[in-house]
Amino acid sequence: MVKLEDVFGVSSQQVLSYVEREHVDKRFQDALTSTKQIIVYGSSKQGKTALVSKHLPYEENILVSLTPKTRLADIYQTILSKAGVKVVTSIVEKKNTESSVGISAKFRALIPLFASGEAEIQGSTKAGSGEEVKYEEIPLNLELPQSVSDLLARVKCNKTVILENFHYLNDDIQQQFAFDLRAFQELGVQFVILGVWREKNRMAQFNGDLLDRTIEIPVEPWYENDFKKVVEKGEAILRIKFSDKIIEDVINASFSSIGVFQELLKQICINSGIQGSSSGAIHQILEQKFLTAAIDTKTNDYASRHQRALEAIAAGHTTGGAKGDLPPLFLPYYLIKVILQHGFDGIANGCHRNTIHEWIKTLHHRADDVRVSDMTNLLGGLANLQSVKSISPPVLAYDVQQRMLQVVDSTFYFFIKNANTMEIADSLQDPLDNFLGGA
C-alpha cells in the first residue's frame, strides 16, 4: 500500500504527485547543460527543492545546507570535504602590536593519492578496510575561489554544488559570494543556488557582472492546469476521485501555493478516511464538509507560526527616531499593524513603499516625523530583523528595485485570508504603552 503522505502533502522527500512543468522543469534541465550558474528562487513551499532534487539528485552531487551562522569559509570547507579533500585547521597567534595578540586560522588541504610517485607524500591514515591511504599536504587559502577550484580539479571532482537556503546568509556574505560566483563560473565550477525571494536578478544586484553568467529559474507561478495535473496523478495512485467542485475550491483556497494545495488535499483525504492506496473500488470524495474541516485545520496550523512571526517583527528594533522626550517611532509595530488591518487585499500583489508610508502615517503617534528614509530603512532591514528573530523561512521581503514589500512565505496568504486579522492586530503589544508606563 502506498501511504497518503507519500502522495500528497509537503515533505522533505519527493512526493509521488510531483508533476513536471514545461516552463520550469525544461528550463532547469537546459540550464544544467550550460556552463552558467543557476539560481532557483521563489516563495517558500513552492517546489524549489522538489525541482532541483528531481533533475539533480542530491546524493550524486555536493549539497551544502546554509544557516544564518554560515560563513564563506564554512561553505568552501564543506564543498572540499564532500569532494574528498581533508581540510586541516591550525590556530596561529600573531602579534599585531606590542600590546595586542591576534588569533587567525591557517588551513592545509590533504589530498588522497591513489598512485605512488604522483607527489611527495607527507601524511597517511588507515582506511576503514585497514588499507593505508596516503595524502599530499598543500597550503590552502579558503578565501580564494581559485584555491578551491584547483583542489576540486586535483581530486577530479566535477559535481555540481547545490546551496540550499541561500536567503539565510546575511547581505554582506551574499555580496561576497556574488563576486566569488563569477570567478567560479570562469573556473568551471557550477553552482545551483536555492533562495526564498521573488525579485529578478537578486544576485546581479550584488555583482552586475553576473547578469550574463547566470540562469534564473523562478518556480512561480503555478497555473490552474498544473494543480489539476497534481490531483489527477495523486488520484490515480491512491485510487480516489475528488468532485470537480472540491478541486475548484481547493485551487481557489490555495492562493497559487502548491504547498498549501498539497496540504489541503492531504487533509481532505484524512478527513474522509483515506490513509493510503487500496485495491478496492475507487473512493469518491464528494462532500464539501471535508474541505471545510481541512481549511479550519490548516488555518490553525499556520496561525500559530505566522502570529508568532508577526508579533516578533512588531516587537523588533524599537530604537530610532528619538526626539527629545518623545517616544521612538516603533515602526516595525506599525508595519505589522497596517498589514493586518488591510488584510489579504492589501498585501496580495505586493505593497509599494509609498503606500505603506501613507498607511502608517494615518495611525502613527508622530505622523509628521515618519520620513521616506525611515520607511526605506525599515523595509530594507526586514531580512535581518527576521533572521535575528529566528523567523525561518522569512515571511516578508523587500524588493529594493521595485520598492515593493512582498510575501515570500506562500502559506501566509492562506493565513491572512482565513484568520481574524483585526483580532490579531488588536492583540499586538503596543510598545507605546510600555514607554509611557516606564516614563
Side-chain angles (χ1 to χ4, degrees), residues 12 14 28 40 47-65 82 159-165 192-194:
S12 59
Q14 190 84 251
F28 183 72
V40 179
K48 294 180 294 296
T49 299
L51 168 70
V52 176
S53 61
K54 174 73 174 180
H55 305 289
L56 191 68
Y58 280 17
E59 64 276 7
E60 297 174 14
N61 293 280
I62 296 176
L63 171 65
V64 184
S65 295
K82 292 194 174 186
K159 296 179 179 180
T160 298
V161 180
I162 304 167
L163 300 183
E164 273 210 328
N165 300 318
V192 174
I193 298 169
L194 291 80

Side-chain angles (χ1 to χ4, degrees), residues 55-127:
H55 305 289
L56 191 68
Y58 280 17
E59 64 276 7
E60 297 174 14
N61 293 280
I62 296 176
L63 171 65
V64 184
S65 295
L66 307 177
T67 74
K69 295 181 179 180
T70 304
R71 303 166 301 166
L72 275 188
D74 300 325
I75 297 173
Y76 298 154
Q77 186 167 348
T78 301
I79 291 171
L80 292 174
S81 176
K82 292 194 174 186
V85 178
K86 289 190 174 183
V87 178
V88 180
T89 307
S90 56
I91 303 299
V92 179
E93 285 191 1
K94 186 177 180 181
K95 197 165 186 179
N96 297 325
T97 67
E98 291 184 359
S99 60
S100 65
V101 175
I103 297 177
S104 62
K106 188 176 181 180
F107 300 98
R108 292 171 293 133
L110 301 181
I111 301 176
L113 296 176
F114 303 102
S116 61
E118 289 189 33
E120 181 182 352
I121 298 170
Q122 299 184 19
S124 63
T125 61
K126 292 287 184 180

Side-chain angles (χ1 to χ4, degrees), residues 195-207:
V196 173
W197 60 79
R198 299 181 70 183
E199 70 267 33
K200 297 178 181 178
N201 300 321
R202 180 181 177 88
M203 296 298 291
Q205 292 177 33
F206 295 119
N207 180 5

Side-chain angles (χ1 to χ4, degrees), residues 85-383:
V85 178
K86 289 190 174 183
V87 178
V88 180
T89 307
S90 56
I91 303 299
V92 179
E93 285 191 1
K94 186 177 180 181
K95 197 165 186 179
N96 297 325
T97 67
E98 291 184 359
S99 60
S100 65
V101 175
I103 297 177
S104 62
K106 188 176 181 180
F107 300 98
R108 292 171 293 133
L110 301 181
I111 301 176
L113 296 176
F114 303 102
S116 61
E118 289 189 33
E120 181 182 352
I121 298 170
Q122 299 184 19
S124 63
T125 61
K126 292 287 184 180
S129 61
E131 179 184 354
E132 188 176 45
V133 178
K134 298 179 179 179
Y135 291 85
E136 175 190 1
E137 180 180 317
I138 60 175
L140 168 64
N141 188 340
L142 271 179
E143 295 181 356
L144 297 179
Q146 180 77 57
S147 296
V148 176
S149 175
D150 287 348
L151 287 172
L152 292 175
R154 290 284 293 273
V155 296
K156 298 179 172 58
C157 177
N158 58 2
K159 296 179 179 180
T160 298
V161 180
I162 304 167
L163 300 183
E164 273 210 328
N165 300 318
F166 191 78
H167 53 278
Y168 284 162
L169 303 179
N170 66 47
D171 284 352
D172 289 341
I173 295 178
Q174 289 187 34
Q175 185 168 29
Q176 293 174 43
F177 181 76
F179 284 92
D180 286 359
L181 190 61
R182 179 186 186 275
F184 279 120
Q185 194 262 339
E186 294 178 340
L187 295 166
V189 180
Q190 188 177 50
F191 283 78
V192 174
I193 298 169
L194 291 80
V196 173
W197 60 79
R198 299 181 70 183
E199 70 267 33
K200 297 178 181 178
N201 300 321
R202 180 181 177 88
M203 296 298 291
Q205 292 177 33
F206 295 119
N207 180 5
D209 284 343
L210 290 176
L211 270 176
D212 296 321
R213 292 178 168 86
T214 58
I215 296 176
E216 293 195 327
I217 313 290
V219 295
E220 300 172 276
W222 281 82
Y223 298 110
E224 182 175 338
N225 194 47
D226 299 325
F227 290 119
K228 289 181 177 179
K229 288 180 179 178
V230 169
V231 173
E232 291 168 1
K233 194 168 184 180
E235 285 177 331
I237 296 170
L238 293 173
R239 292 183 57 78
I240 62 175
K241 181 65 179 176
F242 295 98
S243 72
D244 292 341
K245 174 62 173 172
I246 286 179
I247 295 173
E248 178 184 349
D249 289 348
V250 174
I251 292 174
N252 291 334
S254 299
F255 305 107
S256 299
S257 168
I258 187 61
V260 172
F261 185 73
Q262 286 275 11
E263 282 294 306
L264 284 176
L265 291 177
K266 177 182 174 182
Q267 192 60 47
I268 290 169
C269 288
I270 292 172
N271 294 343
S272 60
I274 304 297
Q275 297 295 328
S277 62
S278 67
S279 57
I282 293 177
H283 187 107
Q284 301 284 337
I285 302 177
L286 307 175
E287 298 183 60
Q288 289 292 118
K289 66 179 182 180
F290 297 134
L291 171 58
T292 301
I295 290 175
D296 289 342
T297 298
K298 299 315 298 180
T299 298
N300 291 331
D301 290 347
Y302 296 143
S304 58
R305 161 176 152 72
H306 289 307
Q307 188 164 345
R308 285 196 303 269
L310 294 177
E311 290 171 351
I313 295 172
H317 294 345
T318 58
T319 58
K323 189 176 181 181
D325 294 331
L326 296 176
L329 295 178
F330 299 122
L331 289 177
Y333 165 76
Y334 285 100
L335 173 64
I336 299 306
K337 192 84 169 178
V338 297
I339 287 174
L340 288 170
Q341 286 189 350
H342 289 270
F344 176 83
D345 293 334
I347 197 70
N349 297 310
C351 192
H352 196 275
R353 182 196 64 189
N354 294 345
T355 301
I356 296 173
H357 189 195
E358 291 303 316
W359 285 352
I360 287 179
K361 288 178 69 175
T362 62
L363 298 178
H364 205 276
H365 60 279
R366 290 173 50 196
D368 292 339
D369 293 329
V370 181
R371 303 162 300 176
V372 172
S373 59
D374 294 320
M375 299 307 304
T376 299
N377 292 334
L378 167 69
L379 299 173
L382 273 177

